[in-house]
Amino acid sequence: MQWGNELLTTVYNLVQQQNVHFLAERLEKLMEDHEQRKKRKYTLGYTPWLSLRKTWSLNMLGQLKEASLSFTEAERRLRENGPNVPLEYSFPNSWHLLWNALFHPFNMILIVLSSMSFIARDYPNGFIMFILLLISVVLRFCLEHKSSKAAMKLSEFLSCPIRVQRCAGRIEQKELIVQVDHKDVVPGDIVIFEPGDLFPGDVRLLSSKHLVVSQASLTGESMTTDKTADVREDRITSLLDLKNICFRGTNVVSGTGTGLVISTGSNTYMSTMFSKIGKKKPPDDFEKGLRWIFYMLISVMVVVVTIMFVTDYTASNDLSKSILFAISVASALNPQMLPLIINTCLAKGALAMAKDRCIVKRLTTIREMGSMDILCIDKTGTLTMNHAILVNHLDCRGLPQEKVLRYAFLNAYFKTEQKYPLDDAILAHVYSNGFKFQPSKWKKINEIPFDFIRRRVSVMLETDDRHSQFFGRFMVTKGALLEVIKVCSFIENFDKDEISTFSSDDYQRILNLSEELSNEGLRVIAVAIKKLEMQQTCETSNGSKRGISDFERDMILLGVITFFDPPKDSAKQALWCLAEKGVKAKVLTGDSLSLTTRVCREVGISTAHVITGPELEELDQDTFHETVKRATVLARLTPTQKLRVVQSLQTIGNHVVGFLGDGVNDSLALDAAHVSISVDSGVPIAKDMADIILLEKDLKVLAAGVEHGRLTFGNTMKYVKMSVIANLGSIISLLIATLFLKYEPLSSRQLVTQNFIYSVGQIVIPWDKMDEEYLKTPHKWSERGLPVFILWNGPVCTFCDVATLLFLLFYYKAYEDEKFFHTAWFIEGLLMHTLIVHLIRTEKIPFIQDIASWPVIFSTLVISTIGIAIPFTPIGKVMEFTVLPLSYFGFLFVIFLAYFTLGQVVKRFYILVYKRWL
């Protein structure tokens, strides 16, 4: 490993300095050293670097000549190095899933108690606990494994294409540009990238043009950094500050270029840097709540079990028997099925979302979707069809002019580095309407690509057509209206056939025209041109952004072209469904306010409170938070402003925020949101940051996902509250009974068997349904919610147990009849644990206003039948039970009727005070 690190450091330092001869010398020495170490069974840390030995020829290092791999060589390297998948994103293997299923905190309690039973030679109790643990672990493992397989199968639909250069041909080698999946990129590949692309590995730049890269995934800083191929760095320059090296996981913000992949997969800088820590979001409120339950139960267990041990030992003077009884009590207090129920609910939700063609990368996101109360969405492609249609080409007075379309066409036709739907719309309009602009008469000289700061693209062209107004070399620029106007000093007046100085009146007239067009639901971009000297190009000495302002200035504004992106038919219905479920939609977009407002009105989003990014920047902190809280439409936002909006809603508003985005400008907000959602057609950085990826960009899927999340959260909370109340209530009842009796209320074997039977019956809870009213509102974990819920509802269980105790003692005189009391207490406790789910699961009157799902009803009937029948079977004799009189079952009917009545009264008062149940 030390040798691999030494090689990595050497190549990085020497390549970026282009110290060719010393590098070749050093590589040879390292290779010889490696061969010797291989004989001594040493391993190499960065093997992919060795496969580049031939590629890194002296000519290539000295001149940076691009020599592509052949398809055969690429396949060989893929076999040698494996798929380009970092460790942190690989699906968990079976052993990892089994480990997680076994060593859950609540399972650890059961393992300890089972081990103590075996040590105390109480083998039946130990086996019962072990079987209970085995059921929990096996079922959780099977469900998680099934969910993981489904996610892996769906991930096959999720592709991240990378453009690479490859050689083809047996006799004459030809360079081809092909698209391959990111998993098939190998060391030595030459990749081509543009804005929004993720680097598929660590890359040494071969060429660059105005390249700006975000390294936030490595540095944690949102600031971007310029990268360039032609630079010499000092030896002391830190790795992340190298200008000609780009790392896996970082993304292109603007500019274009090519680069040589020098490491992939687990051998990249990011993978080695994060291989031990991983990429994991901090625990949410629910996970913190489960941790609190664990510590609370441990504390109660220590106190109550100690008291019961001392009490039992004082009465029986049998140390071994008292220890086993204490172990059984501790087992009864532990909610053994909690890990299984939680993961079953999540896995069930993931499988349901998989049917809707959603890839769930993080299972806990499903639960957070149920708590989500604000969804931030972009406009384009989410509310609209993302299919632009060119409507008109107008001069600055709003009159149709073919010349405006001609130069917009030339810009779109010769623009090669980044193609957008608007370019396709321009080309489609020209070809379908019979315009003959003869692009063959023009020659492209250079291009200044689009970026999210300038928001425009310029193409330098040259023509010999003397009929053209600009015979020779000129530049065509198109982009956002305000950004193009910034670089214009002149305007063409077609009615007078002259070019005049750009005046304030012209400026106001164009803005008014733009607003009118935007209010009609049209998107507006401007077109401008400029005459260039024959020797002028946009290249600079090092390919950086210096010099752009020298070209994009003093331009002539020709006019505008308008596009229409119709709203989706399904958007309005989906937003209505989300609103009905208590999820408020906020539109965060970089588009103009007027256009966004028009689209939002058509799909039913309120536009009473709207604001733009520049206006937000002028607000103080308190006003900013208040404005963000009220606003439903936020337009002309930068990526950093989107991040600030999401963070404001999370921290100040205390909301659970979802964010749906598919662009590079959404990546910061996606990383910060509780529920980050992207689409398969999104840019790689957006898909990388997302927790959920939609294979179809449809808000209806999100509405269904919210319902799955609510169902998952509700069923989980149902079990948590039910098990904690029932277990605590039964333990307190046991403590009270132990103080009254001269013997144990239940033997250790009976207590463990009772716990085993009703725990198995609770496995079906994830398949239960929820009240329709519950699914209509978002829910999240409350820090005070569970303790208060226990204080209100716990005494109800204890009251019924104490009533049963008094009935047995005074009606049946069960002071001395140990078998009779054990049998009666066993059945009452088992039925109580089985029936409590029906009281807790709904805020309505159970069995009258609402009935559980058929799996829960079936489980209740089976478990109750088993509990009542056990005393009449040979198992009952082994358990030392006796036959009970029918009058006792009549009493049970009355006591449970009283339990449901009292429980419903407490429930109504609780809902009246706290406005919620689960």
Side-chain angles (χ1 to χ4, degrees):
M1 188 65 183
Q2 183 180 0
W3 183 88
N5 289 333
E6 185 181 4
L7 176 59
L8 178 65
T9 305
T10 300
V11 175
Y12 264 33
N13 287 337
L14 296 178
V15 168
Q16 47 89 12
Q17 292 180 61
Q18 300 182 32
N19 194 335
V20 181
H21 299 292
F22 184 76
L23 175 61
E25 215 173 273
R26 183 62 177 149
L27 280 174
E28 290 298 331
K29 185 177 179 182
L30 288 170
M31 289 292 293
E32 292 175 7
D33 185 40
H34 171 59
E35 291 300 326
Q36 294 176 2
R37 294 187 183 212
K38 276 179 67 179
K39 294 177 182 178
R40 298 195 298 269
K41 297 183 179 179
Y42 279 82
T43 58
L44 175 62
Y46 288 86
T47 52
W49 286 84
L50 289 180
S51 65
L52 293 178
R53 184 187 178 195
K54 293 181 180 179
T55 308
W56 286 94
S57 64
L58 297 184
N59 181 51
M60 185 173 184
L61 288 170
Q63 306 298 328
L64 295 179
K65 181 180 178 181
E66 301 181 14
S68 306
L69 297 178
S70 65
F71 287 93
T72 304
E73 176 63 14
E75 289 176 4
R76 187 191 68 79
R77 294 188 184 190
L78 186 62
R79 290 193 301 270
E80 180 181 327
N81 297 282
N84 181 26
V85 179
L87 293 178
E88 61 267 26
Y89 298 139
S90 59
F91 287 96
N93 57 37
S94 299
W95 288 109
H96 181 73
L97 292 175
L98 184 61
W99 179 274
N100 287 340
L102 181 61
F103 292 102
H104 189 279
F106 293 100
N107 284 344
M108 291 299 296
I109 296 175
L110 206 58
I111 292 173
V112 171
L113 296 177
S114 177
S115 302
M116 291 176 66
S117 296
F118 282 115
I119 292 172
R121 297 185 178 179
D122 185 11
Y123 299 114
N125 284 358
F127 274 116
I128 291 173
M129 292 183 192
F130 177 76
I131 291 171
L132 194 58
L133 174 68
L134 189 65
I135 291 173
S136 174
V137 171
V138 170
L139 285 178
R140 178 184 172 185
F141 169 78
C142 292
L143 286 165
E144 285 193 343
H145 187 260
K146 184 178 180 181
S147 176
S148 180
K149 284 181 67 177
M152 289 176 66
K153 187 174 181 179
L154 275 174
S155 68
E156 296 175 2
F157 295 101
L158 182 64
S159 61
C160 183
I162 304 294
R163 290 194 299 162
V164 301
Q165 290 182 193
R166 292 278 170 86
C167 285
R170 293 184 178 181
I171 300 175
E172 182 180 351
Q173 294 287 314
K174 292 185 179 180
E175 296 278 355
L176 301 177
I177 297 178
V178 296
Q179 281 193 343
V180 300
D181 190 74
H182 72 286
K183 293 182 289 187
D184 298 328
V185 174
V186 298
D189 264 331
I190 294 174
V191 296
I192 303 164
F193 40 83
E194 59 184 26
D197 285 347
L198 275 174
F199 288 101
D202 292 341
V203 173
R204 203 292 188 192
L205 294 178
L206 300 176
S207 66
S208 62
K209 183 180 292 185
H210 320 303
L211 184 61
V212 179
V213 173
S214 171
Q215 297 187 150
S217 56
L218 297 180
T219 63
E221 300 175 359
S222 58
M223 298 297 291
T224 58
T225 180
D226 292 335
K227 295 285 186 176
T228 180
D230 304 323
V231 65
R232 293 178 181 271
E233 299 281 7
D234 191 85
R235 282 179 179 268
I236 62 173
T237 305
S238 66
L239 203 60
L240 292 177
D241 291 332
L242 295 175
K243 295 294 185 183
N244 54 7
I245 300 292
C246 298
F247 300 93
R248 183 191 178 100
T250 62
N251 63 284
V252 182
V253 175
S254 63
T256 57
T258 61
L260 181 71
V261 179
I262 51 182
S263 59
T264 58
S266 58
N267 295 293
T268 58
Y269 176 77
M270 172 175 268
S271 295
T272 54
M273 181 178 175
F274 294 113
S275 59
K276 296 190 186 279
I277 8 180
K279 180 185 178 184
K280 188 177 181 181
K281 290 189 176 182
D284 57 14
D285 292 340
F286 187 88
E287 292 167 334
K288 292 176 183 176
L290 290 182
R291 196 177 301 163
W292 178 86
I293 292 175
F294 175 74
Y295 291 132
M296 184 268 292
L297 289 178
I298 291 294
S299 302
V300 172
M301 198 177 293
V302 170
V303 175
V304 173
V305 170
T306 302
I307 294 174
M308 297 188 73
F309 168 75
V310 173
T311 304
D312 187 72
Y313 180 69
T314 303
S316 64
N317 290 319
D318 189 336
L319 180 62
S320 176
K321 185 179 179 183
S322 299
I323 291 174
L324 292 176
F325 179 65
I327 293 173
S328 302
V329 170
S331 173
L333 186 59
N334 180 38
Q336 293 94 345
M337 294 292 109
L338 184 58
L340 172 65
I341 297 294
I342 291 172
N343 288 277
T344 301
C345 288
L346 293 175
K348 186 172 175 288
L351 292 173
M353 292 188 70
K355 294 179 181 178
D356 293 326
R357 292 176 62 79
C358 293
I359 298 174
V360 180
K361 294 168 60 178
R362 190 169 62 96
L363 279 181
T364 55
T365 305
I366 300 172
R367 185 173 59 231
E368 291 176 354
M369 281 194 78
S371 304
M372 181 177 70
D373 56 349
I374 288 183
L375 176 63
C376 299
I377 55 180
D378 190 14
K379 176 184 69 67
T380 306
T382 305
L383 301 180
T384 60
M385 300 289 291
N386 198 21
H387 179 68
I389 302 171
L390 193 150
V391 177
N392 220 327
H393 38 89
L394 309 172
D395 65 8
C396 298
R397 296 183 180 274
L399 300 175
Q401 289 293 339
E402 185 177 305
K403 186 175 181 179
V404 178
L405 180 61
R406 177 188 297 272
Y407 285 103
F409 168 79
L410 292 175
N411 181 286
Y413 183 88
F414 286 102
K415 171 188 169 188
T416 56
E417 296 187 356
Q418 306 154 49
K419 286 290 186 182
Y420 291 107
L422 297 185
D423 298 312
D424 296 333
I426 294 171
L427 299 177
H429 182 81
V430 170
Y431 293 139
S432 61
N433 287 279
F435 292 99
K436 297 181 179 180
F437 293 144
Q438 298 178 314
S440 59
K441 292 185 178 181
W442 279 265
K443 176 184 177 183
K444 179 182 175 181
I445 304 301
N446 219 317
E447 178 177 344
I448 304 177
F450 176 89
D451 63 56
F452 291 100
I453 300 172
R454 293 165 41 254
R455 298 179 67 197
R456 56 183 180 262
V457 58
S458 297
V459 177
M460 291 184 177
L461 303 174
E462 188 175 5
T463 178
D464 295 328
D465 184 7
R466 297 188 177 274
H467 297 289
S468 172
Q469 179 180 355
F470 289 116
F471 167 71
R473 184 168 294 185
F474 61 95
M475 184 166 68
V476 183
T477 299
K478 79 173 191 301
L481 178 66
L482 293 178
E483 302 303 327
V484 172
I485 288 178
K486 285 180 183 178
V487 298
C488 290
S489 301
F490 306 96
I491 186 170
E492 180 156 354
N493 297 310
F494 289 92
D495 55 340
K496 298 180 182 179
D497 195 21
E498 65 178 15
I499 296 172
S500 60
T501 304
F502 196 89
S503 65
S504 58
D505 291 338
D506 294 326
Y507 179 80
Q508 191 59 48
R509 185 171 62 253
I510 293 169
L511 289 185
N512 293 338
L513 174 63
S514 173
E515 186 172 355
E516 289 176 9
L517 294 170
S518 296
N519 290 335
E520 294 175 7
L522 302 178
R523 181 170 182 177
V524 180
I525 67 172
V527 181
I529 54 177
K530 178 186 178 180
K531 176 74 173 179
L532 297 176
E533 299 297 331
M534 289 301 295
Q535 69 275 14
Q536 281 185 295
T537 67
C538 62
E539 289 289 350
T540 60
S541 59
N542 61 358
S544 70
K545 293 177 68 175
R546 295 196 311 271
I548 291 179
S549 59
D550 296 333
F551 294 93
E552 290 183 337
R553 68 177 184 181
D554 298 331
M555 301 192 73
I556 303 170
L557 183 65
L558 293 181
V560 298
I561 48 179
T562 60
F563 302 87
F564 178 63
D565 188 4
K568 284 185 177 179
D569 295 333
S570 61
K572 188 172 185 178
Q573 183 182 355
L575 288 170
W576 182 81
C577 290
L578 287 170
E580 198 177 38
K581 297 179 187 300
V583 180
K584 296 179 181 178
K586 289 181 181 287
V587 177
L588 278 59
T589 180
D591 282 346
S592 67
L593 178 60
S594 54
L595 174 59
T596 305
T597 303
R598 173 63 183 272
V599 173
C600 289
R601 280 199 298 264
E602 290 189 14
V603 297
I605 296 177
S606 171
T607 56
H609 300 285
V610 298
I611 196 168
T612 63
E615 291 171 344
L616 281 176
E617 288 296 325
E618 297 176 1
L619 302 179
D620 59 71
Q621 190 170 358
D622 293 337
T623 310
F624 175 88
H625 294 309
E626 184 62 30
T627 303
V628 166
K629 179 181 178 181
R630 289 186 293 107
T632 54
V633 178
L634 300 95
R636 294 183 59 202
L637 296 182
T638 65
T640 307
Q641 288 170 338
K642 289 185 179 183
L643 173 64
R644 286 188 63 198
V645 169
V646 170
Q647 291 175 334
S648 173
L649 294 170
Q650 290 174 319
T651 56
I652 306 301
N654 195 29
H655 296 288
V656 178
V657 181
F659 190 93
L660 171 60
D662 59 357
V664 62
N665 55 335
D666 299 321
S667 56
L668 294 177
L670 282 168
D671 190 44
H674 293 110
V675 182
S676 51
I677 309 161
S678 189
V679 291
D680 186 31
S681 58
V683 298
I685 182 64
K687 291 187 285 188
D688 182 66
M689 294 292 183
D691 298 318
I692 295 176
I693 296 177
L694 310 180
L695 297 181
E696 296 177 3
K697 195 169 186 178
D698 193 342
L699 287 177
K700 284 184 177 179
V701 177
L702 289 185
V706 167
E707 188 165 327
H708 292 315
R710 303 260 170 94
L711 188 63
T712 297
F713 185 85
N715 280 331
T716 305
M717 289 305 301
K718 188 184 300 179
Y719 175 79
V720 169
K721 292 186 174 183
M722 178 201 71
S723 61
V724 173
I725 288 173
N727 290 0
L728 281 175
S730 65
I731 294 304
I732 293 173
S733 302
L734 279 172
L735 177 61
I736 295 172
T738 303
L739 296 175
F740 270 89
L741 301 172
K742 297 179 181 179
Y743 50 82
E744 298 169 348
L746 287 176
S747 68
S748 58
R749 185 177 306 172
Q750 293 165 351
L751 186 57
V752 171
T753 302
Q754 182 192 70
N755 186 36
F756 172 79
I757 294 174
Y758 70 66
S759 293
V760 171
Q762 292 165 351
I763 292 175
V764 298
I765 287 178
W767 284 267
D768 192 18
K769 61 182 182 179
M770 297 297 301
D771 295 338
E772 291 183 7
E773 292 78 9
Y774 183 89
L775 298 177
K776 289 181 179 179
T777 55
H779 305 273
K780 59 181 180 179
W781 185 279
S782 172
E783 293 182 359
R784 295 177 58 248
L786 185 60
V788 171
F789 192 89
I790 293 172
L791 290 175
W792 275 71
N793 295 276
V796 178
C797 294
T798 304
F799 169 78
C800 293
D801 288 338
V802 171
T804 303
L805 172 66
L806 296 176
F807 182 77
L808 291 174
L809 293 179
F810 292 104
Y811 184 81
Y812 288 110
K813 311 296 182 183
Y815 298 100
E816 304 296 335
D817 193 345
E818 191 171 339
K819 282 189 176 182
F820 182 88
F821 187 89
H822 284 174
T823 307
W825 191 264
F826 176 88
I827 293 176
E828 188 272 343
L830 180 60
L831 294 179
M832 173 69 73
H833 279 81
T834 304
L835 293 173
I836 190 176
V837 64
H838 295 278
L839 180 66
I840 298 297
R841 62 170 297 277
T842 177
E843 63 181 52
K844 299 177 181 178
I845 301 175
F847 304 113
I848 298 176
Q849 293 180 328
D850 187 75
I851 300 176
S853 63
W854 72 264
V856 176
I857 294 292
F858 180 77
S859 172
T860 300
L861 293 174
V862 170
I863 298 301
S864 300
T865 302
I866 291 174
I868 295 173
I870 278 181
F872 301 94
T873 64
I875 297 177
K877 294 181 181 179
V878 175
M879 301 293 294
E880 298 181 344
F881 287 147
T882 187
V883 177
L884 297 174
L886 290 177
S887 59
Y888 178 69
F889 293 101
F891 165 76
L892 286 182
F893 176 80
V894 173
I895 195 66
F896 283 123
L897 185 63
Y899 166 70
F900 277 101
T901 303
L902 180 60
Q904 191 65 27
V905 171
V906 172
K907 182 193 297 184
R908 297 316 307 171
F909 276 106
Y910 180 88
I911 294 173
L912 188 65
V913 173
Y914 297 101
K915 311 301 180 185
R916 59 178 294 180
W917 179 236
L918 287 176

